[in-house]
Amino acid sequence: MNDMNVIKKSSSGIQSIGLDAVLLDKRMIFLSGIITSKSVDLIVKQLLFLESLDEQEPIKLIINSPGGEVEAGLFLYQQVKGMNIRIDIYCTELAASMAGILLAGGKYGRYILRNGRVMIHEPLISASSGGISGSATQIARTAETILDTKRQLNQLLANDTKRPIKEIEKIVADGDHWFTAEEAVKFGICDAIVDRV
């Protein structure tokens, strides 16, 4: 969908400006849809741009995502963790898989709308990827890489939720684990339920 335009009056006349640009000016960044390297690169550029404009004014990172690429998500996770500027993270509808890890990883405010949902699980190999193929050694290496990723994500969740690693391991091993807004706060993924962004 193309960026919706809004009409803005200024001393220089009337302008048509993209809605995304207006919201960025209000220090709101959106992670919508599947997490990819391309979407994360854009978000990181926006974060760095807003930080360069004002290092004191908070940023709102608004998430509605089913998850996506773990590597891209970890890049965004580390970038948000490493920045000194306050970044408040909001789950509006859905923060699933890698998006749930990002939500839990906020170091300032982590909020969820009353009807928002969070889902966490083990890293997956999607059916659309064609499955694993190759020699037994290659398959074993791929499996070890996936297990390393699983351990890394579990440790991040344990750190960010202040839950024992064994509890995280058990929950994600059982498959998709869904949380209501209330459950996400109780579990430590979010800090509070809010009624709006």
Side-chain angles (χ1 to χ4, degrees):
M1 184 168 96
N2 290 337
D3 187 18
M4 181 183 198
N5 288 337
V6 293
I7 304 300
K8 189 173 180 182
K9 292 181 183 179
S10 69
S11 58
S12 58
I14 297 175
Q15 296 176 298
S16 176
I17 302 173
L19 183 58
D20 285 344
V22 172
L23 292 171
L24 185 63
D25 190 52
K26 300 287 185 191
R27 303 182 72 80
M28 296 181 187
I29 298 174
F30 291 80
L31 170 55
S32 301
I34 296 173
I35 296 168
T36 64
S37 293
K38 186 176 180 181
S39 66
V40 166
D41 284 348
L42 176 60
I43 290 168
V44 170
K45 288 174 187 174
Q46 291 171 329
L47 288 168
L48 294 171
F49 171 71
L50 292 177
E51 181 183 46
S52 73
L53 291 179
D54 186 340
E55 294 181 359
Q56 305 304 315
E57 187 70 22
I59 296 169
K60 290 181 179 179
L61 176 59
I62 301 158
I63 295 177
N64 180 20
S65 171
E69 298 172 13
V70 172
E71 293 80 7
L74 287 172
F75 169 37
L76 181 56
Y77 176 95
Q78 194 58 53
Q79 184 66 36
V80 169
K81 283 276 198 197
M83 295 179 78
N84 291 324
I85 192 166
R86 181 182 177 105
I87 302 170
D88 293 319
I89 303 178
Y90 292 79
C91 170
T92 56
E93 295 174 45
L94 176 65
S97 192
M98 192 64 222
I101 304 279
L102 288 168
L103 176 62
K107 68 179 188 179
Y108 295 103
R110 304 172 303 166
Y111 306 107
I112 185 166
L113 270 63
R114 196 162 304 282
N115 294 309
R117 303 283 308 267
V118 177
M119 186 272 285
I120 58 174
H121 60 190
E122 293 183 332
L124 301 175
I125 298 176
S126 68
S128 62
S129 70
I132 298 175
S133 63
S135 70
T137 302
Q138 290 170 326
I139 291 170
R141 285 184 187 144
T142 301
E144 189 52 44
T145 300
I146 294 166
L147 291 172
D148 284 343
T149 301
K150 173 185 160 183
R151 286 187 283 270
Q152 180 184 12
L153 296 178
N154 287 348
Q155 190 62 60
L156 294 177
L157 264 176
N159 295 344
D160 293 330
T161 61
K162 311 288 190 281
R163 296 274 175 169
I165 187 71
K166 293 291 184 192
E167 182 179 2
I168 300 294
E169 288 169 352
K170 183 178 185 318
I171 285 172
V172 300
D174 289 339
D176 294 354
H177 191 92
W178 290 91
F179 298 87
T180 63
E182 292 84 2
E183 291 166 342
V185 171
K186 185 177 179 183
F187 195 78
I189 293 172
C190 301
D191 301 312
I193 297 170
V194 293
D195 290 320
R196 56 160 293 168
V197 172

